[in-house]
Amino acid sequence: MKYAQMINIEHILVAMAAIILYLLYYVFTKDSEYHKNIRSVASVVEDLNREIFYLKKELTDTQKNIKSNTSRMSDEEIYEEVERSVYDMVKPLSVGVQRLEDTLVTIDEQMNLRISSLENGVKQISIPTSVHGNDDQKIISLFKQGVSLDTISKELHISKAEVEFVLKINKIK
């Protein structure tokens, strides 16, 4: 009987170790995905910075062209040209920033879902009641009164093996 209990304990320990290893694998896998997403966001930001640089250069060139053509253009025409240039420069930036914001919101939602999933998974792992020792005194007392192992296990809602385990640990049986 003692050999069977040792095997059961070994199975439980192996199962718990497998669960912990799986959780570690899951966390590392998701961490690498987040790093990949962050790198893609950084790439988008770099592209946006490059686009801003070119737009500033184009704005400078446009301003120079406007200064050289001021004798031919009226103030209203200059204003309209500047307004068109600014709109043309800002539109791609606005679209890029919106895409970046959408990506960040999606990543945040995924992270929150995965964290809550992990928390729920960890909450579901429970420790057997006999490990806590809450029922040990009840088991010993009932056994000394002559109550059978089956009756004790049914009354305390634990397995017969747990009752025998508690009795063996306390050197009663």
Side-chain angles (χ1 to χ4, degrees), residues 54-69:
Y54 290 127
L55 290 174
K56 284 181 180 179
K57 185 176 179 182
E58 188 176 320
L59 178 62
T60 304
D61 293 341
T62 304
Q63 287 173 340
K64 287 178 184 178
N65 287 338
I66 290 173
K67 286 180 182 177
S68 67
N69 295 329

Side-chain angles (χ1 to χ4, degrees), residues 9-155:
I9 291 172
E10 289 176 2
H11 285 121
I12 291 170
L13 288 175
V14 168
M16 289 177 74
I19 290 170
I20 290 171
L21 288 173
Y22 174 74
L23 286 173
L24 287 173
Y25 170 76
Y26 181 79
V27 167
F28 285 121
T29 303
K30 294 308 167 188
D31 187 48
S32 67
E33 285 181 23
Y34 294 139
H35 285 294
K36 180 181 167 188
N37 288 339
I38 288 171
R39 282 192 295 270
S40 68
V41 168
S43 174
V44 169
V45 169
E46 186 176 81
D47 291 342
L48 288 173
N49 282 333
R50 189 176 308 116
E51 187 68 29
I52 288 171
F53 171 78
Y54 290 127
L55 290 174
K56 284 181 180 179
K57 185 176 179 182
E58 188 176 320
L59 178 62
T60 304
D61 293 341
T62 304
Q63 287 173 340
K64 287 178 184 178
N65 287 338
I66 290 173
K67 286 180 182 177
S68 67
N69 295 329
T70 52
S71 61
R72 293 185 243 149
M73 294 176 75
S74 68
D75 288 342
E76 289 177 13
E77 292 172 333
I78 293 172
Y79 179 76
E80 288 173 4
E81 181 65 30
V82 168
E83 194 173 69
R84 266 193 308 272
S85 296
V86 169
Y87 178 77
D88 290 343
M89 286 185 264
V90 171
K91 180 140 175 104
L93 289 175
S94 175
V95 171
V97 168
Q98 183 62 40
R99 277 189 290 162
L100 182 62
E101 185 177 308
D102 293 343
T103 302
L104 289 174
V105 166
T106 303
I107 289 171
D108 187 48
E109 289 171 354
Q110 289 174 351
M111 285 176 48
N112 287 336
L113 286 173
R114 289 175 180 155
I115 287 172
S116 70
S117 173
L118 281 173
E119 287 173 349
N120 289 337
V122 170
K123 287 178 185 175
Q124 291 176 357
I125 297 174
S126 64
I127 299 173
T129 55
S130 65
V131 172
H132 294 295
N134 294 340
D135 296 329
D136 288 3
Q137 293 303 320
K138 290 179 186 176
I139 293 170
I140 294 169
S141 173
L142 289 171
F143 184 76
K144 286 183 178 178
Q145 292 173 14
V147 178
S148 72
L149 298 180
D150 290 328
T151 306
I152 294 172
S153 69
K154 288 177 185 175
E155 188 174 317

